[in-house]
Amino acid sequence: MNVLLSPQPPFFPHQHEPSRRSPPRTMSQHTMASRKRKADDDDNEMSISPTGSPAINSRQLSRPSKKVRAGIELAGRPLPLPRLLETLDKSQLRAVLQTICERHPAIGHEVMASAPRPSVNGALEVLGEYQDKLRAAIPFGNSSSEYTYFRVKQPLMALVDALGDFTPQFLPPVEQQTTVSLEYLNHATKIIHDLPDFDSQQYRHHKDGAYDEISRAWALVITEAAKRGGGFHLHNGKWDQVLAKHNQQSGGKLEQAMSAMVNEVGWVGANANAHGQGSSSDPNSILNQLINGTYGAPVQVGPF
């Protein structure tokens, strides 16, 4: 009766249901030991790895301290000579060297003895710079000769002085090759042609003086060339025709050079003297053709 009246029904385990047992304590201890060994292994790997070492990280972040020269204070000082020379342009370096040579003549003589001789192209380059300055000074439009002269006086005199200094450098006996002398004289004469023409005679003396000097230079070189193979270089280079054109462009102001060409060169003088004493009045004479600039011109044939 008590069994039937019990509020809770009795529990009867099923035959096929296994009995539930708690896991043994040894299994839990084994798992914990494995986890502990894994954690220890991870700690060992971190201690062995170079990236995980805090000591190496601190060494990589540290920077060597900059060494400061002991006993030397930072202060302003001038540039060393090689650095100073690197900052100078061509004109500044030339001015410094010229000042030193003027103060110490012995150094100037040494520079002249050591420097190479200027070439024709080098001289013409310098003369071209003077010529550019002269052209830049010429006023625009129609101006009076007086105004134009005073505008170009300084660069004009600088160019004429430069011509007077360079020309003797290319004359014998300094220059031994007449072909080099003739090449320079040809270009120098062209520069003189380009000098400004003034209406007033008092302003034309610079150009007239340059023509006179270059004419005497031509005569000297022609005389020297006539001594070498009877002036073969003059004939081969057709310098007689070149000089005749220059004389015509100058208005007959290279008479001294033209006379040297006729008197010193045998083949020109023989042709000129073949016409007799009155050859100077003959328009077909070699001398008159050279002076008039018609030497070497084509000859007309037939009744024209």
Side-chain angles (χ1 to χ4, degrees), residues 48-77:
I48 295 174
S49 175
T51 58
S53 177
I56 294 180
N57 288 335
S58 61
R59 288 196 298 270
Q60 290 178 351
L61 295 177
S62 62
R63 297 180 180 179
S65 59
K66 186 177 180 180
K67 295 182 180 180
V68 181
R69 296 181 181 179
I72 299 179
E73 296 182 357
L74 182 61
R77 64 180 184 273

Side-chain angles (χ1 to χ4, degrees), residues 94-233:
R94 182 171 52 197
V96 171
L97 182 60
Q98 183 176 355
T99 303
I100 294 175
C101 294
E102 291 176 354
R103 292 179 181 177
H104 306 280
I107 298 178
H109 293 299
E110 185 175 355
V111 171
M112 293 182 63
S114 303
R117 290 186 56 215
S119 62
V120 175
N121 292 332
L124 294 177
E125 182 179 356
V126 176
L127 294 174
E129 294 177 359
Y130 284 105
Q131 196 173 18
D132 293 338
K133 294 178 181 179
L134 174 61
R135 292 170 179 170
I138 297 176
F140 294 98
N142 297 326
S143 302
S144 62
S145 296
E146 183 178 4
Y147 175 74
T148 304
Y149 174 75
F150 284 104
R151 278 286 303 270
V152 303
K153 179 180 179 181
Q154 184 175 358
L156 174 61
M157 294 179 62
L159 177 57
V160 173
D161 292 341
L163 282 168
D165 291 336
F166 276 109
T167 299
Q169 177 70 28
F170 296 97
L171 299 180
V174 178
E175 179 58 57
Q176 298 294 330
Q177 299 182 7
T178 56
T179 54
V180 176
S181 301
L182 293 170
E183 180 183 0
Y184 168 80
L185 293 177
N186 181 33
H187 291 285
T189 308
K190 293 179 181 179
I191 294 177
I192 298 175
H193 292 327
D194 293 337
L195 294 179
D197 293 318
F198 298 100
D199 298 334
S200 179
Q201 180 62 34
Q202 60 179 343
Y203 301 141
R204 292 202 299 262
H205 65 279
H206 298 291
K207 189 171 185 177
D208 293 341
Y211 272 131
D212 181 70
E213 184 174 355
I214 206 70
S215 179
R216 290 187 286 111
W218 275 99
L220 178 61
V221 175
I222 291 171
T223 302
E224 185 67 23
K227 301 176 183 178
R228 305 176 183 180
F232 173 77
H233 294 294

